[in-house]
Amino acid sequence: MIRTSVAGALADRRRLPTALRAVLGYYADTGIFDYGSLSLKSEVDDRTEAMVADVNARLEEALAEEFGHPVSFDYDTKLILPAQLTLGYVYRSARRQAPGDPVTDSIADGVPDVDEAALEHGPAQPLSPREMVVRAEQMTRLSIEALIDGDMRDAINDDEFEDFEVDFDADEDDLRRVAETAQGALQSHLDGLLESMPPVVEEAYQWAVDYSEAHQDRDDYFRDLMTDAEAGDEDAISAIRSEYKFADYEEDPPTFADREKALPYSKTQYARVGVLYDGMLDLYRLAGLDIEPAFAKSIVLAIIGAQIWLDDVDDYDDDRREGQLTPVTAEYLLAPDAEAGYRHVLDITEQYLDLAGEHATDADSPLTGIAAEYIYRSGDPDVLPGSL
């Protein structure tokens, strides 16, 4: 086994594959070398890609009916990563409890059984390893549909259609028609699934959606703050610091404790993206699956870190031009100069992803810890002003 110091040096070599650098980086930080997590990741990727392909096939039927000819459709989204990590987490746990492999060639479908009391009291009775796998696969299918549906809704609301891919020459109007048809078909199928399950499932899902939409309703207010801050208004700058960077939670989030709530941008980014994955994890709990608090924290922290480090960093120029307040644009307004803004963005990202990795280790989920490393090593902060 190589020394952790050597692993750390190798992890910093950009010519190596990012996945390998993530494994080495996680080993350098924790002393845990779990190369088998790459095999688990590949397995989970293949199985969730098959689930997404099933969704796309259903949407292609709706698009063929809408356009009067066959349509090949794909939708590019990164938002299913937490569902993939949760499925891998359950696979790992089930395999440790089973004498044989409870993960079979066929992927379970159908509606999972639901334990309505599980959110408050935990699973009523332990599931067998095979039951764990079946319910996790069923709930992953539902979660993937819900996450894609939410992402499509946001894209339509923002008039962003570049992720809707079809095999014909489509102009902007065609792409809007594609997007609305696909999202409508997905919503219809998702509504049918939720109606076939106890009301508590839809309530858990809707709670997360409503929480997130309440944050989105403040978007115009935050845009106005950013415009005023750009003009040098000290009151607006102070408001960004107190109401956006260090905003107080009106109610305690189910997953976060004091350490997570104290992170910069915790409340606003939890409402922006984190709460949706809290809601997703509640669906797995309702299916009788034991989701440890440390694992839930690692998932939510990692997805917030990814939002900042991958999306907000990459979109900095566009967001600054369009007046979109994000943790990245906010830091450049709050910092005394570009170099300080750059350092602050790096520091905040590392706080989220390092803590995500720490909780992943506590939950015995090296795949999630490696995913946090992968997110960090996939970022390109050199696009930001003040980069060194």
Side-chain angles (χ1 to χ4, degrees), residues 2 16 33 50 71 99 107 231 250 276 283 303 354 367:
I2 62 174
L16 291 177
F33 191 84
V71 175
I107 305 172
E250 291 85 7
L276 298 176
L283 299 183
I303 203 66
D354 287 350
L367 180 61

Side-chain angles (χ1 to χ4, degrees), residues 113-343:
D113 292 333
V114 171
D115 178 0
E116 296 193 35
L119 284 183
E120 300 239 349
H121 309 292
Q125 59 185 13
L127 301 177
S128 72
R130 180 58 191 160
E131 287 174 326
M132 291 168 62
V133 168
V134 168
R135 293 197 189 184
E137 290 176 348
Q138 291 171 328
M139 199 53 83
T140 298
R141 285 183 183 272
L142 177 63
S143 297
I144 283 174
E145 292 203 27
L147 294 170
I148 294 176
D149 175 65
D151 198 29
M152 283 184 172
R153 288 171 186 261
D154 289 343
I156 293 170
N157 289 338
D158 295 337
D159 293 323
E160 296 176 352
F161 305 117
E162 61 270 15
D163 292 331
F164 293 86
E165 301 175 8
V166 290
D167 61 345
F168 64 92
D169 189 14
D171 60 22
E172 190 74 9
D173 290 338
D174 290 331
L175 285 176
R176 171 171 284 281
R177 191 173 159 201
V178 166
E180 292 176 346
T181 300
Q183 190 277 321
L186 183 55
Q187 179 183 343
S188 177
H189 186 261
L190 183 60
D191 287 346
L193 288 176
L194 292 172
E195 287 173 6
S196 67
M197 303 175 76
V200 67
V201 177
E202 185 170 8
E203 289 168 6
Y205 170 70
Q206 195 60 47
W207 167 81
V209 171
D210 290 345
Y211 193 113
S212 181
E213 288 182 347
H215 173 75
Q216 292 176 19
D217 289 342
R218 301 193 71 196
D219 185 61
D220 286 342
Y221 171 71
F222 287 132
R223 285 177 179 271
D224 289 342
L225 280 184
M226 183 168 174
T227 298
D228 293 342
E230 292 273 21
D233 187 324
E234 291 296 331
D235 289 339
I237 293 173
S238 177
I240 288 173
R241 182 176 287 106
S242 62
E243 298 180 41
Y244 193 74
K245 183 173 182 177
F246 294 114
D248 292 327
Y249 283 87
E250 291 85 7
E251 57 181 290
D252 285 339
T255 294
F256 284 175
D258 289 344
R259 190 176 180 189
E260 292 77 33
K261 290 190 294 182
L263 290 168
Y265 304 102
S266 175
K267 194 269 182 180
T268 51
Q269 301 315 294
Y270 177 80
R272 182 186 180 194
V273 292
V275 68
L276 298 176
Y277 297 98
D278 243 353
M280 180 200 79
L281 292 168
D282 278 348
L283 299 183
Y284 285 90
R285 293 187 178 102
L286 284 169
L289 296 162
D290 187 13
I291 304 297
E292 294 182 39
F295 176 77
K297 289 178 182 179
S298 70
I299 287 289
V300 177
L301 289 167
I303 203 66
I304 292 175
Q307 178 70 48
I308 296 171
W309 190 236
L310 302 182
D311 291 353
D312 294 344
V313 166
D314 285 350
D315 294 343
Y316 170 78
D317 287 335
D318 290 340
D319 289 340
R320 192 76 183 255
R321 184 169 53 252
E322 295 167 6
Q324 180 67 55
L325 192 61
T326 72
V328 178
T329 56
E331 279 309 307
Y332 280 91
L333 292 170
L334 298 174
D337 53 51
E339 290 78 10
Y342 175 81
R343 291 195 304 272

